[in-house]
Amino acid sequence: QVQLVESGGASVQAGGSLRLSCAVSGHTSSSYCMGWFRQAPGKEREGVAFIQKFGSTYYAESVKGRFTISQDNAKNTLYLQMNSLKPEDTAVYYCAARVGTYCSGVFAYWGQGTQVTVSS
């Protein structure tokens, strides 16, 4: 069973930076996609950034150029580096995983979420 545990959420001022981490355990698939999602109060959950096993990355337009997704396979950890944060980035951020080559489709595994609050 895959387990995902996020950390790194905090309150920061606009323009600041944060790095979220997601510790992954129980993941044995030969192909997968890992992603970060977020959900702001009163809004639907949205995909923010995705990374496939061999490093291909995808970003939502709203975070391109500001956020970077990466993975450390030796540490079984997924990261989301967030720079130039804006108040509209405020949300609960979730780490998620799906088995398979592509990042489209249902993500079966989710972390508990970590709160990011950006003040103006």
Side-chain angles (χ1 to χ4, degrees):
Q1 181 73 3
V2 177
Q3 292 188 325
L4 307 173
V5 180
E6 304 98 332
S7 61
S11 296
V12 297
Q13 290 194 328
S17 297
L18 279 177
R19 188 176 78 160
L20 305 182
S21 299
C22 175
V24 183
S25 61
H27 200 312
T28 60
S29 176
S30 60
S31 63
Y32 59 83
C33 176
M34 301 291 299
W36 288 97
F37 292 76
R38 68 185 180 187
Q39 187 165 22
K43 295 188 177 181
E44 292 190 355
R45 186 172 59 197
E46 64 172 342
V48 174
F50 303 92
I51 186 166
Q52 292 176 294
K53 179 178 180 180
F54 294 106
S56 296
T57 57
Y58 309 90
Y59 296 94
E61 284 296 323
S62 58
V63 306
K64 273 185 182 178
R66 299 188 299 122
F67 290 12
T68 303
I69 188 171
S70 63
Q71 57 189 356
D72 185 330
N73 292 326
K75 295 182 178 180
N76 291 325
T77 302
L78 179 73
Y79 300 102
L80 184 67
Q81 178 66 43
M82 306 186 293
N83 299 327
S84 302
L85 283 161
K86 305 175 181 180
E88 50 264 43
D89 294 319
T90 295
V92 177
Y93 283 72
Y94 298 91
C95 170
R98 71 180 303 274
V99 174
T101 303
Y102 303 106
C103 293
S104 58
V106 175
F107 281 71
Y109 306 102
W110 293 84
Q112 82 288 352
T114 186
Q115 176 71 46
V116 172
T117 302
V118 184
S119 58
S120 57

